[in-house]
Amino acid sequence: MTEAIAKLEFCGVRGSTPTPERENGRYGGNTPCLELTAADGTHLILDCGTGLRALGNRWAQSNGANGAHAVDSHILVTHYHWDHIQGIPFFHPFFEPQNHFHFYSFESRYLGPGSLRKALESQLASPYFPVDANMMSAQRIFHEVAGGGSWQIGGVRIKAARLNHPQGCLGYRIETPEGSIVYATDNEPDGGEFDKVLRQLAESADVLIYDAQYSPEQLASTRKGWGHSSWLEAVKVARDARVNNLILFHHDPDSSDRVIDGYLSAARQEFPDTWAATEGMMVNLSKRGVAVKLRESRIGLRKRLRFAATVSGVDQDGKKFEEKAQVRDLTMLGAYLALNNRPRLQSELRVVMEAAGEGNRGSALSFRGTVIHCEIGREHTQNGVGVVFIEETESGLPRD
Ligand SMILES: [Zn+2]
Ligand SMILES: [Zn+2]
């Protein structure tokens, strides 16, 4: 019998606005959208940011959400800010009559009864979009839910709670038989009732996905009252609610990859089982626990080679290591190494390659990379480790 697994995939992780800039491409520039498929086939989408477009394209390739032709999916919308609904007009499955979608969100006091339908359709109204909402031929059913509410979808139990965010927002707890996920983004700590409700929602969850948009300093000063949170607040919620894994989410549009690397490593000092949401990241939940995987993205011309190198980094238990190893291939974006140690995903490796020959002493080539893959390697004796190079800014170029 195959193991029952719930699969969660991150299609958009950026907050506020899409960011196609190169300096934040490693984590990704699409706004919030996640896909969750429980082992019984129950299918959910969390938020409809610009990541939704890529999800639709992927379905087109696989001919539907589960490879079947017609889609039957449940969409939990946290709130109506642009970054959480902007993918809707660009999601092809909404324009295909065989598909069924159930939408869930709250009645906004600005829009009144039928808020959910109004908010979603008004972005296609003239003169904002060339195609009318009537062209959306998929069956769409709208469910207005409230904080404190809970309901069942297939074998999955959903619970909603109000978060502290301008014009309102809902956080969701999703209980599958394979494990529990709490999706709580766009929330500012209030030091009171909201903080308490959030901790109840997140209690003992396997995975907590939480708003970590700002640095603790920004949250305390220039960004106070903007409705978001920090990596430090995320750590506090994770600890108080005793969750198993924390995923930092809703990255600020002005945070480069290096800034997010810094938030992640600071958070891991306080709460080791922390990850930074990355486009293409997959989280599998099963009876055996939670497994995180990153998308293999070392595309480009690949050169097979064997270079001796000295590699230093952090292993899966957070311990530092250094070893003599081999670089097995290189692309323009990254490298593949054979190591005895098992470096932690999303941690930083430093690799110094020796140049061959006596005369080349002192001309070693060094680079830093972030770990995107670690599995038992091709020859089953060592670990195969994939890294993507970390881009250095002009001022941060390594000296050696
Ligand atoms: Zn947002
Ligand atoms: Zn928002």
Side-chain angles (χ1 to χ4, degrees), residues 41-117:
T42 303
H43 188 268
L44 283 91
I45 294 172
L46 314 180
D47 272 333
C48 298
T50 60
L52 187 64
R53 187 181 64 90
L55 179 63
N57 292 345
R58 180 150 60 71
W59 287 5
Q61 282 167 10
S62 67
N63 214 2
N66 301 313
H69 201 67
V71 172
D72 193 355
S73 183
H74 298 260
I75 304 181
L76 308 181
V77 178
T78 56
H79 64 307
Y80 305 120
H81 286 160
W82 282 116
D83 52 324
H84 299 258
I85 61 170
Q86 214 164 6
I88 286 172
F90 305 98
F91 188 57
H92 301 298
F94 288 154
F95 299 89
E96 292 162 5
Q98 75 278 10
N99 296 333
H100 294 242
F101 292 98
H102 291 258
F103 290 86
Y104 305 80
S105 199
F106 62 94
E107 181 179 317
S108 155
R109 67 188 168 97
Y110 301 92
L111 295 165
S115 286
L116 183 52
R117 184 181 200 122

Side-chain angles (χ1 to χ4, degrees), residues 359-376:
N360 286 325
R361 218 169 271 266
S363 60
L365 167 70
S366 82
F367 63 82
R368 284 191 287 170
T370 181
V371 178
I372 60 161
H373 171 99
C374 180
E375 300 282 337
I376 296 295

Side-chain angles (χ1 to χ4, degrees), residues 27 244-245 264-276 292-294 311-321 339-350 369-375 383-388:
Y27 287 102
N244 293 327
N245 291 273
L264 174 61
S265 85
R268 278 182 168 173
Q269 303 283 318
E270 306 287 329
F271 193 85
D273 292 318
T274 303
W275 317 87
V292 177
K293 279 194 170 174
L294 295 168
V311 178
S312 47
V314 177
D315 74 8
Q316 296 192 333
D317 301 318
K319 284 202 287 288
K320 288 188 178 158
F321 71 84
L339 294 184
N340 294 320
N341 282 288
R342 286 180 66 76
R344 178 186 269 176
L345 276 189
Q346 293 189 317
S347 70
E348 196 171 307
L349 279 191
R350 184 174 176 79
T370 181
V371 178
I372 60 161
H373 171 99
C374 180
E375 300 282 337
N383 298 301
V385 177
V387 297
V388 168

Side-chain angles (χ1 to χ4, degrees), residues 15 77 85 88 117 149-150 205 208 241 287 297 301 337 347 353 383:
V77 178
I85 61 170
I88 286 172
R117 184 181 200 122
S150 75
L208 168 64
K287 290 274 178 289
S297 55
L301 186 67
L337 308 137
S347 70
M353 287 192 281
N383 298 301

Side-chain angles (χ1 to χ4, degrees), residues 6-7 31 33 50 104 121 151 161 178 183 194 211 233 238 256 267 270 280 304 308 321 330 348 376 382:
K7 294 182 176 175
T31 63
C33 178
T50 60
Y104 305 80
E121 291 188 352
W151 63 98
E178 297 76 43
Y183 179 55
F194 279 109
D211 183 328
E233 278 300 323
S256 67
E270 306 287 329
R304 283 273 157 89
F321 71 84
L330 276 176
E348 196 171 307
I376 296 295
Q382 286 184 299

